[in-house]
Coordinates of all heavy atoms in Angstrom, one line a residue:
Chain A
H1475 N 3.1 24.9 -14.2 CA 3.8 25.0 -15.5 C 2.8 25.2 -16.7 O 3.3 25.5 -17.8 CB 4.6 23.8 -15.8 CG 3.8 22.6 -15.9 ND1 3.0 22.1 -14.9 CD2 3.6 21.8 -17.0 CE1 2.4 21.0 -15.3 NE2 2.7 20.8 -16.6
A1476 N 1.5 25.0 -16.5 CA 0.6 25.1 -17.6 C 0.4 26.5 -18.1 O -0.1 26.7 -19.1 CB -0.8 24.5 -17.1
S1477 N 1.0 27.5 -17.3 CA 0.8 28.8 -17.7 C 1.5 29.1 -19.0 O 1.2 30.1 -19.6 CB 1.3 29.7 -16.6 OG 2.6 29.4 -16.3
T1478 N 2.5 28.3 -19.4 CA 3.2 28.5 -20.6 C 2.2 28.4 -21.8 O 2.5 28.9 -22.9 CB 4.4 27.6 -20.8 OG1 3.9 26.3 -20.5 CG2 5.5 28.0 -19.8
S1479 N 1.2 27.5 -21.6 CA 0.4 27.2 -22.8 C -0.8 28.1 -23.0 O -1.5 28.0 -23.9 CB -0.1 25.7 -22.7 OG -0.8 25.6 -21.5
H1480 N -1.1 28.9 -22.0 CA -2.2 29.9 -22.1 C -1.9 31.1 -21.4 O -0.9 31.1 -20.5 CB -3.5 29.3 -21.7 CG -3.5 28.8 -20.3 ND1 -3.9 29.5 -19.2 CD2 -3.2 27.6 -19.8 CE1 -3.8 28.8 -18.1 NE2 -3.3 27.6 -18.4
L1484 N 1.8 32.8 -27.4 CA 2.9 32.0 -27.8 C 2.5 31.5 -29.2 O 1.4 31.1 -29.5 CB 3.1 30.8 -26.9 CG 3.7 31.1 -25.5 CD1 3.6 29.9 -24.6 CD2 5.1 31.5 -25.6
D1485 N 3.6 31.4 -30.1 CA 3.3 30.9 -31.4 C 3.4 29.3 -31.4 O 4.0 28.8 -30.4 CB 4.3 31.4 -32.4 CG 5.7 31.2 -32.1 OD1 6.1 31.4 -30.9 OD2 6.5 30.7 -32.9
Q1486 N 2.8 28.7 -32.3 CA 2.7 27.3 -32.3 C 4.1 26.6 -32.3 O 4.3 25.5 -31.7 CB 1.9 26.8 -33.6 CG 1.5 25.3 -33.5 CD 0.6 25.0 -32.3 OE1 -0.3 25.8 -32.0 NE2 0.8 23.9 -31.7
A1487 N 5.1 27.2 -33.0 CA 6.4 26.6 -33.0 C 7.0 26.4 -31.6 O 7.6 25.4 -31.3 CB 7.3 27.4 -33.9
A1488 N 6.8 27.5 -30.8 CA 7.3 27.4 -29.4 C 6.6 26.3 -28.7 O 7.2 25.6 -27.9 CB 7.1 28.8 -28.8
L1489 N 5.3 26.2 -28.9 CA 4.5 25.2 -28.2 C 5.0 23.8 -28.6 O 5.2 22.9 -27.7 CB 3.0 25.3 -28.5 CG 2.3 26.5 -27.9 CD1 0.9 26.6 -28.4 CD2 2.3 26.4 -26.4
D1490 N 5.2 23.6 -29.9 CA 5.7 22.3 -30.3 C 7.1 22.0 -29.7 O 7.3 20.9 -29.3 CB 5.9 22.4 -31.9 CG 4.5 22.3 -32.6 OD1 3.5 22.1 -31.9 OD2 4.5 22.5 -33.8
Q1491 N 7.9 23.0 -29.6 CA 9.2 22.8 -29.0 C 9.1 22.4 -27.6 O 9.7 21.4 -27.2 CB 10.0 24.2 -29.1 CG 11.5 24.0 -28.8 CD 12.2 23.2 -29.9 OE1 11.8 23.2 -31.1 NE2 13.1 22.4 -29.5
A1492 N 8.2 23.0 -26.8 CA 8.0 22.7 -25.4 C 7.5 21.2 -25.3 O 7.9 20.5 -24.4 CB 7.1 23.7 -24.8
E1493 N 6.5 20.9 -26.2 CA 6.0 19.6 -26.1 C 7.0 18.5 -26.4 O 7.1 17.5 -25.7 CB 4.8 19.4 -27.2 CG 4.1 18.1 -27.1 CD 3.3 17.8 -28.3 OE1 3.4 18.6 -29.3 OE2 2.6 16.8 -28.3
K1494 N 7.9 18.8 -27.4 CA 8.9 17.8 -27.8 C 9.9 17.6 -26.6 O 10.2 16.4 -26.3 CB 9.7 18.4 -29.0 CG 10.1 17.4 -30.0 CD 10.7 18.0 -31.2 CE 11.5 17.0 -32.0 NZ 12.2 17.7 -33.1
A1495 N 10.2 18.7 -25.9 CA 11.2 18.5 -24.8 C 10.5 17.7 -23.7 O 11.2 16.8 -23.1 CB 11.5 19.9 -24.3
K1496 N 9.2 17.9 -23.4 CA 8.6 17.2 -22.3 C 8.5 15.7 -22.7 O 8.8 14.8 -21.9 CB 7.1 17.7 -22.2 CG 7.0 19.0 -21.3 CD 5.6 19.4 -21.2 CE 5.4 20.9 -21.1 NZ 4.1 21.4 -21.5
V1497 N 8.1 15.4 -24.0 CA 7.9 14.0 -24.4 C 9.2 13.3 -24.3 O 9.3 12.1 -23.8 CB 7.2 14.0 -25.8 CG1 7.3 12.5 -26.3 CG2 5.8 14.4 -25.7
S1498 N 10.3 13.9 -24.7 CA 11.6 13.2 -24.7 C 12.0 12.9 -23.2 O 12.6 11.8 -23.0 CB 12.6 14.0 -25.4 OG 13.2 14.9 -24.5
K1499 N 11.6 13.8 -22.3 CA 11.9 13.5 -20.9 C 11.1 12.4 -20.4 O 11.6 11.4 -19.7 CB 11.6 14.8 -20.1 CG 12.0 14.6 -18.6 CD 11.9 15.8 -17.8 CE 10.5 16.2 -17.5 NZ 10.4 17.4 -16.7
Y1500 N 9.8 12.4 -20.8 CA 8.9 11.3 -20.4 C 9.3 9.9 -20.9 O 9.2 8.9 -20.2 CB 7.5 11.6 -20.8 CG 6.8 12.8 -20.2 CD1 5.9 13.5 -20.9 CD2 7.2 13.2 -18.9 CE1 5.3 14.7 -20.3 CE2 6.6 14.3 -18.3 CZ 5.7 15.0 -19.1 OH 5.1 16.1 -18.5
H1550 N 4.1 15.5 -11.8 CA 4.6 16.9 -11.9 C 4.9 17.5 -10.5 O 4.7 18.7 -10.3 CB 3.6 17.8 -12.6 CG 3.3 17.3 -14.0 ND1 4.2 17.1 -15.0 CD2 2.1 16.9 -14.5 CE1 3.7 16.6 -16.0 NE2 2.4 16.5 -15.8
Y1553 N 7.3 20.5 -10.2 CA 6.9 21.9 -10.4 C 6.0 22.4 -9.3 O 5.6 23.5 -9.3 CB 6.1 22.0 -11.7 CG 6.9 21.6 -13.0 CD1 6.5 20.4 -13.6 CD2 8.0 22.3 -13.4 CE1 7.2 20.0 -14.8 CE2 8.7 21.9 -14.5 CZ 8.3 20.7 -15.2 OH 9.0 20.3 -16.3
Chain B
V461 N 0.8 11.3 -19.8 CA 1.6 12.5 -19.8 C 1.8 13.1 -21.2 O 1.9 14.3 -21.4 CB 3.0 12.4 -19.1 CG1 2.8 12.4 -17.6 CG2 3.7 11.2 -19.5
I462 N 1.9 12.2 -22.2 CA 2.1 12.6 -23.6 C 0.8 13.3 -24.0 O 0.8 14.4 -24.7 CB 2.4 11.5 -24.5 CG1 3.8 11.0 -24.2 CG2 2.4 11.9 -26.0 CD1 4.2 9.7 -25.0
Q464 N -1.3 14.9 -22.1 CA -1.3 16.2 -21.4 C -0.4 17.3 -22.2 O -0.8 18.4 -22.4 CB -1.0 16.1 -20.0 CG -1.3 17.4 -19.2 CD -0.5 17.4 -17.9 OE1 -0.3 16.4 -17.3 NE2 -0.2 18.6 -17.5
A465 N 0.8 16.8 -22.5 CA 1.8 17.6 -23.2 C 1.2 18.1 -24.5 O 1.3 19.2 -24.9 CB 3.1 16.9 -23.4
A466 N 0.5 17.2 -25.2 CA -0.2 17.5 -26.5 C -1.2 18.5 -26.3 O -1.4 19.5 -27.1 CB -0.7 16.3 -27.2
G467 N -2.0 18.4 -25.2 CA -3.1 19.3 -25.0 C -2.5 20.7 -24.7 O -3.1 21.7 -25.1
E468 N -1.4 20.8 -24.0 CA -0.8 22.1 -23.7 C -0.3 22.7 -25.0 O -0.2 24.0 -25.0 CB 0.3 21.9 -22.7 CG -0.2 21.7 -21.2 CD 0.9 21.2 -20.3 OE1 2.0 21.1 -20.7 OE2 0.5 20.9 -19.1
A469 N 0.1 21.9 -25.9 CA 0.6 22.4 -27.2 C -0.6 22.7 -28.2 O -0.3 22.9 -29.4 CB 1.6 21.5 -27.8
R470 N -1.8 22.7 -27.6 CA -3.0 23.0 -28.4 C -3.2 22.0 -29.6 O -3.4 22.4 -30.7 CB -3.0 24.4 -29.0 CG -3.1 25.5 -27.8 CD -3.3 26.8 -28.4 NE -2.9 27.9 -27.5 CZ -2.2 28.9 -27.8 NH1 -1.9 29.1 -29.1 NH2 -1.8 29.8 -26.9
K471 N -3.0 20.7 -29.2 CA -3.3 19.7 -30.2 C -4.4 18.8 -29.6 O -4.1 17.6 -29.2 CB -2.0 18.9 -30.5 CG -0.9 19.7 -31.2 CD 0.3 18.9 -31.3 CE 1.4 19.7 -31.9 NZ 2.7 19.1 -31.6
K474 N -4.6 15.1 -31.0 CA -3.6 14.2 -30.5 C -3.8 13.8 -29.0 O -3.7 12.7 -28.6 CB -2.2 14.8 -30.6 CG -1.0 13.9 -30.3 CD 0.3 14.6 -30.5 CE 1.4 13.7 -30.0 NZ 2.7 14.5 -30.0

Side-chain angles (χ1 to χ4, degrees):
Chain A
H1475 67 296
S1477 58
T1478 50
S1479 58
H1480 55 92
L1484 287 167
D1485 58 313
Q1486 192 60 40
L1489 288 176
D1490 287 351
Q1491 194 64 34
E1493 185 197 5
K1494 220 174 160 185
K1496 280 180 210 156
V1497 169
S1498 85
K1499 185 172 77 179
Y1500 294 148
H1550 306 300
Y1553 304 110
Chain B
V461 281
I462 293 176
Q464 192 198 328
E468 283 164 6
R470 292 190 203 136
K471 294 173 184 163
K474 188 180 175 189

